[in-house]
């Protein structure tokens, strides 16, 4: 379902692996991460928007069977909606 909120290209970082992916590849990379790291809980730590409203970000904590991750998601406004430009999952 997260794919509906992704732009045509998305920067994905999981641990020490990162890259720029087309939307379908980005969805696959995120699905693989969640299949390997079954989430048990998540919480929002901080969020904010640019003064002009052109971008938005959120930072959260994600607990999985494999450990805890700090999650960063960056959105950019395209038309009337915000689309994901970048997602980072950094193991704590």
């Amino acid at each position: 379902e997260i794919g509906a909120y992704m732009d045509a290209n998305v920067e994905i970082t999981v641990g020490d692996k990162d890259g720029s992916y087309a939307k379908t590849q980005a969805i696959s990379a995120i699905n693989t991460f969640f299949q390997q790291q079954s989430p048990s809980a998540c919480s929002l730590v901080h969020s904010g928007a640019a003064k002009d409203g052109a971008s938005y970000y959120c930072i959260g904590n994600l607990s999985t069977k494999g450990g805890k991750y700090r999650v960063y998601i960056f959105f950019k406004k395209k038309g009337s909606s915000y689309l994901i430009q970048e997602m980072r999952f950094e193991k704590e």
Side-chain angles (χ1 to χ4, degrees), residues 2-87:
I2 198 165
Y5 303 99
M6 290 183 176
D7 202 353
N9 292 297
V10 182
E11 293 284 331
I12 304 282
T13 302
V14 178
D16 59 351
K17 295 180 182 178
D18 66 343
S20 180
Y21 299 91
K23 183 177 182 174
T24 55
Q25 293 172 314
I27 292 168
S28 178
I30 296 299
N31 282 339
T32 299
F33 171 77
F34 282 120
Q35 287 171 357
Q36 294 172 349
Q37 303 294 330
S38 297
S40 57
C42 69
S43 61
L44 180 65
V45 174
H46 186 72
S47 64
K51 289 181 183 181
D52 62 0
S55 61
Y56 177 84
Y57 71 93
C58 58
I59 299 170
N61 291 323
L62 175 67
S63 296
T64 72
K65 70 176 185 178
K68 294 184 179 187
Y69 289 83
R70 174 72 79 161
V71 180
Y72 169 84
I73 305 173
F74 176 74
F75 302 83
K76 192 170 185 182
K77 192 167 189 175
K78 297 271 180 130
S80 62
S81 22
Y82 288 94
L83 297 177
I84 296 171
Q85 304 295 309
E86 181 181 358
M87 296 182 76

